[in-house]
Amino acid sequence: MADLQQEDWTKMLSEDNNSVVLDVRTQEEVEDLGVIPNALHIDIFKGQGFIDEIQQLDNTKNYFVYCKAGGRSAQACAIMNQLGFEKTYNLLGGFTEWEGEVHQIS
């Protein structure tokens, strides 16, 4: 896992053609605030359900993970690393400090 500032996170993401953006916030946060474009949403508070959904993902891809402030996404990256995902990148400051494009969920 690497903790990255938004500038580095977005630069690496834009240069990576084997990447997945993963939003680990709650459904309510996603509905209220929107998402980073093309993000896959899996709520980390689902507990075992989160692990079950993560295990269905391709662990050869690179995962750019975010939450509201960076804590849950760091935890998600650690869990993913334990499950065999080698490249996970945590967005420091999370969605709260995000300055890029946002898509609203309807």
Side-chain angles (χ1 to χ4, degrees), residues 2-38:
D3 288 319
L4 301 175
Q5 297 291 339
Q6 179 177 333
E7 182 179 335
D8 296 327
W9 196 85
T10 53
K11 182 178 188 299
M12 286 180 64
L13 178 60
S14 70
E15 296 170 352
D16 190 335
N17 61 2
N18 188 40
S19 62
V20 175
V21 177
L22 179 61
D23 183 331
V24 298
R25 296 175 299 154
T26 65
Q27 184 64 36
E28 293 76 23
E29 288 171 309
V30 167
E31 290 171 0
D32 291 347
L33 303 170
V35 297
I36 294 174
N38 302 313

Side-chain angles (χ1 to χ4, degrees), residues 51 54-55 75-86 88:
I51 292 171
I54 291 297
Q55 288 178 316
Q75 183 182 6
C77 288
I79 291 167
M80 292 174 76
N81 292 154
Q82 290 173 354
L83 295 173
F85 291 80
E86 292 185 14
T88 58

Side-chain angles (χ1 to χ4, degrees), residues 89-102:
Y89 304 100
N90 178 41
L91 177 60
L92 291 172
F95 195 80
T96 301
E97 296 183 19
W98 179 251
E99 296 176 354
E101 190 176 346
V102 173

Side-chain angles (χ1 to χ4, degrees), residues 46-61:
K46 284 179 158 180
Q48 184 62 44
F50 174 77
I51 292 171
D52 292 343
E53 288 189 52
I54 291 297
Q55 288 178 316
Q56 294 176 27
L57 301 176
D58 182 349
N59 69 0
T60 65
K61 293 195 177 289

